[in-house]
Amino acid sequence: DAGVTQSPTHLIKTRGQQVTLRCSPKSGHDTVSWYQQALGQGPQFIFQYYEEEERQRGNFPDRFSGHQFPNYSSELNVNALLLGDSALYLCASSSSIGTGGLNSPLHFGNGTRLTVT
Amino acid sequence: DAKTTQPNSMESNEEEPVHLPCNHSTISGTDYIHWYRQLPSQGPEYVIHGLTSNVNNRMASLAIAEDRKSSTLILHRATLRDAAVYYCILRDPLLTQGGSEKLVFGKGTKLTVNP
C-alpha cells in the first residue's frame, strides 16, 4: 500500500522564480494538506484541499497557491520565490469518510526540500 | 499558535521506558490530544490520540490527566528507532469544515535514545 508520495525530493531555485511541487495521497484518501517546515521548527499549515477546493488556509501570502485534481492528487505552487521560502514542504493526506474526517490521522510524505538561492 | 508546551529535549536509554510530557492548560472540552513524531529526514508520523481516557496502541500509550490540562506519551521500551521529534497537538474536530482539521505544530520534544 503506497503511502503519500511527493516529487521532487529536492529542488534548487533562484529568487524570483516559480516552483511547482506535487503530491499523491495515500490510496483511499481524499483530503490533501500542505505544510512548510523551516529548519529546526515544527511544520506550519499552508492550506488544505478537499473536493478540489481550498477549504482552509494558514497565514501564507497569495504567492502560495494550490490545486487538487479529480484523482485527489495535488500541487503546490509558489510564485516570486524569496530566500525565506527555503524549507521542507510536506504533503499530508487523510480520509473524510467513516468518521467524517474527525480526528482522522494525517499521513505525511517525506517532503520536498526547496532551496532558494 | 501552538496551544501545548513540551520540553525541548529528553534523553533515554535503549530498552527503558520513556515518558514524554505535554502541558495544555487551555484545552477546551472538545479538543482531542494527538501525538505525532518525526524521524530524521522523514515526514511526521501519527502515533496516538485520545480525549479523556488513557489509550494504548502498538506504538505507545497515552496517559491523560483527570483535568485534561496535561498528558504523557509513554514508550514502554525505547529503541534506537524511537529517536525523533515528538509533537503534542490539540485538535478540535468541531472546527472541521469538510476534509479534516489542520494540525498546529509547536517545536516538539527531541528524544535522544542512547544505546
Side-chain angles (χ1 to χ4, degrees), chain B residues 36-110:
Chain B
Y36 282 73
R37 72 179 185 181
Q38 187 170 20
L39 302 172
S41 301
Q42 294 189 23
E45 171 188 34
Y46 167 79
V47 177
I48 200 168
H49 77 272
L51 182 62
T52 56
S53 304
N54 294 344
V55 184
N56 300 294
N57 66 21
R58 63 174 181 82
M59 291 181 69
S61 295
L62 176 60
I64 301 172
E66 196 169 336
D67 63 5
R68 302 209 325 123
K69 293 183 183 299
S70 66
S71 60
T72 302
L73 180 70
I74 302 167
L75 307 179
H76 295 286
R77 289 184 64 198
T79 69
L80 297 178
R81 195 195 174 277
D82 291 322
V85 177
Y86 286 79
Y87 297 99
C88 171
I89 300 165
L90 299 184
R91 198 174 177 199
D92 186 350
L94 295 185
L95 296 179
T96 300
Q97 303 169 21
S100 63
E101 178 56 21
K102 67 182 182 185
L103 300 182
V104 180
F105 289 84
K107 290 189 176 182
T109 298
K110 183 175 182 179

Side-chain angles (χ1 to χ4, degrees), chain A:
Chain A
D1 179 21
V4 178
T5 57
Q6 295 187 242
S7 63
T9 55
H10 295 81
L11 201 52
I12 300 176
K13 288 287 189 178
T14 303
R15 190 172 47 184
Q17 286 187 316
Q18 178 264 344
V19 68
T20 297
L21 310 181
R22 295 177 175 80
C23 171
S24 291
K26 179 179 168 66
S27 178
H29 285 185
D30 57 4
T31 303
V32 174
S33 302
W34 287 91
Y35 290 78
Q36 179 195 67
Q37 186 173 24
L39 208 59
Q41 304 294 316
Q44 299 298 305
F45 176 75
I46 302 175
F47 45 51
Q48 180 185 98
Y49 278 84
Y50 172 65
E51 294 186 331
E52 301 181 48
E53 292 185 0
E54 183 183 292
R55 290 302 184 105
Q56 300 180 60
R57 189 179 183 92
N59 188 25
F60 279 80
D62 292 345
R63 298 187 297 109
F64 290 77
S65 64
H67 189 76
Q68 185 179 36
F69 299 94
N71 67 353
Y72 307 119
S73 67
S74 177
E75 289 182 347
L76 164 65
N77 301 294
V78 187
N79 294 323
L81 284 167
L82 304 174
L83 297 179
D85 294 332
S86 294
L88 179 68
Y89 289 85
L90 295 160
C91 171
S93 72
S94 59
S95 174
S96 66
I97 302 173
T99 57
L102 305 184
N103 288 308
S104 177
L106 270 63
H107 292 250
F108 284 82
N110 288 330
T112 294
R113 172 70 63 185
L114 172 66
T115 302
V116 182
T117 61

